[in-house]
Amino acid sequence: MKPPKTQPLAQEHPFAQYIRTLGKGKTGSRSLNQDEAASAFSMLLRDEADPLQVGAFLMLLRVKEETGEELAGFVQACREQIAIPELPAQVDLDWPSYAGKRQQHPWYILAMLLLANSGYRVLCHGSAGHTPGRLYTERAMAELGLPIAANWQQAEQQLGSDGLSYLPLHAFCPALDKLMHLKPLLGLRSPVNTLARNLNPARATCSVQSIFHPAYARLHQEADSLLQQPSALVYKGDGGEAEIKPQADTRLHLLRDGAFTQSVFPRAIHARVAPVEAPATAPLRQLWRNQSGDLYGLTATLATTAAALLLLEPEISTVVQARQRAKELWQQRDLQRLD
């Protein structure tokens, strides 16, 4: 196939300055500041950059690795594009879910349900299908009969009645969702996959964010600080989702009122855990309704819930206290929520 013919430009394209800033060699290039990052990403979202420029920009950032300022600027640009009504009640917990599960069942969904069942308003958002072979939250929640919203109005209703709602990225920021689905074309994850975890579109007081690589914890915390996020928890979860791995020690990075602290959630299972043949939702329903005794599933659910409680309930100061509180919520759960 012949490459498309391009017409020479009479003058430099406005977006070219950002590519030049990032790609001008070892001594001439630099990272963008927050304002530059916001301006550049706003142009991407408004479809004001040529497709060649979009790919170059995203991959230069991927090779260089984005900074906290850049990430905050990108999120700022997205938030300016998001049309959100004034919600009558505060969302308690923002739960970004963009990775999907490949090796284990999506037990984190039971943690979200457990928190909602105990009175917290949990807004989950994500994008499905950008990586083949994974079970994404939207499909999993649909199979479990859990609330999925088509717009902010439905999300508001579901949060009021169920305490839980999943809102797809394409429903509130379609331009960003389009950029996220470039992964099969580019062959790599881009900063879009990173910044989506910091979006917090409803401005919830608390946000839980999972990372693929431990080094990204600092990046997310820097962005949260610049965005003045009151409270946020970052950790390396199973497969990139916010799910504590029972077979691993998990370092929790907590931001609360401008102060950063760290703690370790110790492993509860010391034996090797084999991956499942295919992630599914039936085991979640069975565990919730006491129809199975899946030790891994229960441990992952309670540990993930406990980690979120460390964020949501400041009076809980230790992992032991958080685990005990999670067990209490499990014992008090409504067995009919997954009928």
Side-chain angles (χ1 to χ4, degrees):
M1 179 182 294
K2 293 182 179 180
K5 293 181 179 180
T6 58
Q7 297 295 325
L9 299 178
Q11 57 185 11
E12 183 178 88
H13 192 288
F15 193 80
Q17 60 178 312
Y18 302 115
I19 297 175
R20 181 169 56 251
T21 298
L22 295 173
K24 203 177 179 182
K26 292 183 178 180
T27 58
S29 63
R30 63 171 176 82
S31 297
L32 304 175
N33 61 41
Q34 186 172 342
D35 288 340
E36 290 172 326
S39 296
F41 214 80
S42 291
M43 290 185 68
L44 296 189
L45 295 174
R46 294 194 301 264
D47 201 22
E48 293 175 359
D50 184 89
L52 292 174
Q53 294 175 316
V54 175
F57 181 77
L58 295 178
M59 290 301 96
L60 281 170
L61 285 165
R62 179 69 166 81
V63 172
K64 176 187 76 68
E65 295 187 353
E66 58 271 38
T67 66
E69 268 202 78
E70 287 171 334
L71 189 59
F74 299 157
V75 172
Q76 180 184 329
C78 293
R79 287 180 175 179
E80 291 172 356
Q81 295 282 323
I82 297 171
I84 173 174
E86 192 70 29
L87 298 180
Q90 175 69 40
V91 175
D92 298 305
L93 181 60
D94 174 73
W95 196 298
S97 178
Y98 289 85
K101 295 298 289 288
R102 183 170 59 89
Q103 295 188 326
Q104 299 296 335
H105 304 306
W107 301 109
Y108 61 92
I109 293 178
L110 292 189
M112 289 194 294
L113 184 59
L114 199 58
L115 292 166
N117 194 66
S118 66
Y120 289 106
R121 291 162 56 95
V122 182
L123 178 65
C124 183
H125 52 93
S127 180
H130 51 81
T131 303
R134 288 179 175 264
L135 174 60
Y136 286 93
T137 304
E138 183 172 3
R139 182 183 131 201
M141 288 185 66
E143 291 179 359
L144 292 167
L146 295 174
I148 297 172
N151 50 49
W152 280 114
Q153 288 71 28
Q154 279 193 356
E156 178 184 326
Q157 294 168 1
Q158 292 167 354
L159 288 168
S161 60
D162 300 282
L164 176 64
S165 179
Y166 176 90
L167 186 63
L169 180 63
H170 65 76
F172 65 90
C173 197
L176 183 63
D177 189 62
K178 181 180 177 182
L179 290 173
M180 184 168 288
H181 282 81
L182 290 177
K183 181 184 176 183
L185 184 63
L186 297 173
L188 292 170
R189 295 173 69 252
S190 76
V192 174
N193 301 78
T194 305
L195 73 91
R197 289 163 166 79
N198 290 82
L199 275 178
N200 191 1
R203 311 296 193 274
T205 304
C206 297
S207 175
V208 59
Q209 303 157 18
S210 178
I211 52 176
F212 280 100
H213 306 292
Y216 274 73
R218 176 191 56 80
L219 175 66
H220 284 277
Q221 287 195 307
E222 287 178 2
D224 279 328
S225 180
L226 290 168
L227 294 165
Q228 300 183 324
Q229 172 64 32
S231 299
L233 176 65
V234 182
Y235 61 86
K236 181 182 177 182
D238 183 70
E241 288 289 354
E243 178 181 302
I244 296 290
K245 298 172 68 172
Q247 72 276 30
D249 295 332
T250 303
R251 184 165 295 277
L252 305 177
H253 303 264
L254 181 66
L255 166 65
R256 179 174 284 127
D257 298 327
F260 298 101
T261 59
Q262 292 187 28
S263 60
V264 175
F265 206 106
R267 69 188 66 197
I269 297 177
H270 294 272
R272 179 183 177 275
V273 176
V276 298
E277 184 175 339
T281 55
L284 276 66
R285 181 180 282 106
Q286 293 165 0
L287 179 63
W288 183 270
R289 301 185 68 185
N290 281 334
Q291 294 172 348
S292 77
D294 192 312
L295 176 62
Y296 181 94
L298 180 60
T299 306
T301 299
L302 295 182
T304 303
T305 304
L309 289 169
L310 285 169
L311 176 68
L312 288 162
E313 301 184 6
E315 64 274 15
I316 296 178
S317 58
T318 68
V319 169
V320 173
Q321 291 174 331
R323 278 180 160 161
Q324 181 57 41
R325 176 66 175 144
K327 289 179 181 178
E328 292 172 0
L329 296 184
W330 181 257
Q331 292 165 357
Q332 298 165 5
R333 73 192 186 280
D334 179 3
L335 297 178
Q336 302 307 313
R337 282 297 296 268
L338 293 182
D339 53 12

PDB file of all heavy atoms in Angstrom, residues 2 4 7 38 76 172 184 196 254 262 268:
ATOM      1  N   LYS A   2       0.588   2.160  -0.891  1.00  0.00           N
ATOM      2  CA  LYS A   2       1.362   3.395  -0.954  1.00  0.00           C
ATOM      3  C   LYS A   2       0.950   4.323   0.194  1.00  0.00           C
ATOM      4  O   LYS A   2      -0.214   4.386   0.571  1.00  0.00           O
ATOM      5  CB  LYS A   2       1.125   4.100  -2.301  1.00  0.00           C
ATOM      6  CG  LYS A   2       1.669   3.331  -3.498  1.00  0.00           C
ATOM      7  CD  LYS A   2       1.433   4.124  -4.763  1.00  0.00           C
ATOM      8  CE  LYS A   2       2.001   3.377  -5.966  1.00  0.00           C
ATOM      9  NZ  LYS A   2       1.786   4.137  -7.214  1.00  0.00           N
ATOM     10  N   PRO A   4      -0.138   7.711   2.066  1.00  0.00           N
ATOM     11  CA  PRO A   4      -0.980   8.805   1.567  1.00  0.00           C
ATOM     12  C   PRO A   4      -0.141  10.004   1.186  1.00  0.00           C
ATOM     13  O   PRO A   4       0.884  10.302   1.812  1.00  0.00           O
ATOM     14  CB  PRO A   4      -1.887   9.113   2.763  1.00  0.00           C
ATOM     15  CG  PRO A   4      -1.116   8.626   3.959  1.00  0.00           C
ATOM     16  CD  PRO A   4      -0.356   7.438   3.481  1.00  0.00           C
ATOM     17  N   GLN A   7       0.170  17.227   1.392  1.00  0.00           N
ATOM     18  CA  GLN A   7       0.427  18.522   0.777  1.00  0.00           C
ATOM     19  C   GLN A   7       1.394  19.317   1.650  1.00  0.00           C
ATOM     20  O   GLN A   7       1.284  19.317   2.869  1.00  0.00           O
ATOM     21  CB  GLN A   7      -0.894  19.294   0.619  1.00  0.00           C
ATOM     22  CG  GLN A   7      -1.905  18.624  -0.299  1.00  0.00           C
ATOM     23  CD  GLN A   7      -1.416  18.553  -1.723  1.00  0.00           C
ATOM     24  OE1 GLN A   7      -0.731  19.462  -2.209  1.00  0.00           O
ATOM     25  NE2 GLN A   7      -1.753  17.476  -2.407  1.00  0.00           N
ATOM     26  N   ALA A  38      -1.310  20.811  29.159  1.00  0.00           N
ATOM     27  CA  ALA A  38      -2.751  21.008  29.050  1.00  0.00           C
ATOM     28  C   ALA A  38      -3.125  21.550  27.675  1.00  0.00           C
ATOM     29  O   ALA A  38      -4.105  21.095  27.053  1.00  0.00           O
ATOM     30  CB  ALA A  38      -3.235  21.959  30.142  1.00  0.00           C
ATOM     31  N   GLN A  76      -5.996  17.861  33.365  1.00  0.00           N
ATOM     32  CA  GLN A  76      -6.646  19.168  33.346  1.00  0.00           C
ATOM     33  C   GLN A  76      -7.358  19.409  32.021  1.00  0.00           C
ATOM     34  O   GLN A  76      -8.505  19.870  31.984  1.00  0.00           O
ATOM     35  CB  GLN A  76      -5.582  20.250  33.577  1.00  0.00           C
ATOM     36  CG  GLN A  76      -6.089  21.675  33.576  1.00  0.00           C
ATOM     37  CD  GLN A  76      -4.936  22.666  33.722  1.00  0.00           C
ATOM     38  OE1 GLN A  76      -3.913  22.384  34.353  1.00  0.00           O
ATOM     39  NE2 GLN A  76      -5.089  23.833  33.117  1.00  0.00           N
ATOM     40  N   PHE A 172     -18.414   9.999  28.708  1.00  0.00           N
ATOM     41  CA  PHE A 172     -18.142  11.332  29.259  1.00  0.00           C
ATOM     42  C   PHE A 172     -16.907  11.999  28.689  1.00  0.00           C
ATOM     43  O   PHE A 172     -16.719  13.205  28.849  1.00  0.00           O
ATOM     44  CB  PHE A 172     -18.058  11.288  30.796  1.00  0.00           C
ATOM     45  CG  PHE A 172     -16.912  10.492  31.364  1.00  0.00           C
ATOM     46  CD1 PHE A 172     -15.691  11.091  31.628  1.00  0.00           C
ATOM     47  CD2 PHE A 172     -17.070   9.153  31.662  1.00  0.00           C
ATOM     48  CE1 PHE A 172     -14.644  10.371  32.182  1.00  0.00           C
ATOM     49  CE2 PHE A 172     -16.028   8.417  32.219  1.00  0.00           C
ATOM     50  CZ  PHE A 172     -14.816   9.025  32.470  1.00  0.00           C
ATOM     51  N   PRO A 184      -3.692  -0.890  19.750  1.00  0.00           N
ATOM     52  CA  PRO A 184      -3.405  -1.920  18.739  1.00  0.00           C
ATOM     53  C   PRO A 184      -2.665  -1.377  17.515  1.00  0.00           C
ATOM     54  O   PRO A 184      -1.926  -2.103  16.863  1.00  0.00           O
ATOM     55  CB  PRO A 184      -4.804  -2.436  18.361  1.00  0.00           C
ATOM     56  CG  PRO A 184      -5.661  -2.118  19.530  1.00  0.00           C
ATOM     57  CD  PRO A 184      -5.136  -0.810  20.052  1.00  0.00           C
ATOM     58  N   ALA A 196      -5.714   8.283  32.572  1.00  0.00           N
ATOM     59  CA  ALA A 196      -7.113   7.925  32.831  1.00  0.00           C
ATOM     60  C   ALA A 196      -7.344   7.577  34.298  1.00  0.00           C
ATOM     61  O   ALA A 196      -8.432   7.797  34.837  1.00  0.00           O
ATOM     62  CB  ALA A 196      -7.531   6.755  31.944  1.00  0.00           C
ATOM     63  N   LEU A 254      -0.152   6.399  50.038  1.00  0.00           N
ATOM     64  CA  LEU A 254      -1.338   7.151  50.426  1.00  0.00           C
ATOM     65  C   LEU A 254      -1.055   8.647  50.425  1.00  0.00           C
ATOM     66  O   LEU A 254      -0.039   9.102  50.957  1.00  0.00           O
ATOM     67  CB  LEU A 254      -1.804   6.720  51.817  1.00  0.00           C
ATOM     68  CG  LEU A 254      -3.050   7.400  52.383  1.00  0.00           C
ATOM     69  CD1 LEU A 254      -4.276   7.042  51.558  1.00  0.00           C
ATOM     70  CD2 LEU A 254      -3.260   6.986  53.845  1.00  0.00           C
ATOM     71  N   GLN A 262       3.512   5.812  53.380  1.00  0.00           N
ATOM     72  CA  GLN A 262       3.567   4.481  52.788  1.00  0.00           C
ATOM     73  C   GLN A 262       3.370   3.424  53.867  1.00  0.00           C
ATOM     74  O   GLN A 262       3.750   3.619  55.023  1.00  0.00           O
ATOM     75  CB  GLN A 262       4.918   4.241  52.101  1.00  0.00           C
ATOM     76  CG  GLN A 262       5.164   5.064  50.863  1.00  0.00           C
ATOM     77  CD  GLN A 262       6.432   4.654  50.152  1.00  0.00           C
ATOM     78  OE1 GLN A 262       6.873   3.505  50.218  1.00  0.00           O
ATOM     79  NE2 GLN A 262       7.057   5.608  49.441  1.00  0.00           N
ATOM     80  N   ALA A 268      -1.094 -12.703  52.299  1.00  0.00           N
ATOM     81  CA  ALA A 268      -1.861 -13.630  53.131  1.00  0.00           C
ATOM     82  C   ALA A 268      -1.746 -15.064  52.643  1.00  0.00           C
ATOM     83  O   ALA A 268      -2.040 -16.010  53.372  1.00  0.00           O
ATOM     84  CB  ALA A 268      -3.330 -13.216  53.161  1.00  0.00           C
TER      85      ALA A 268
END
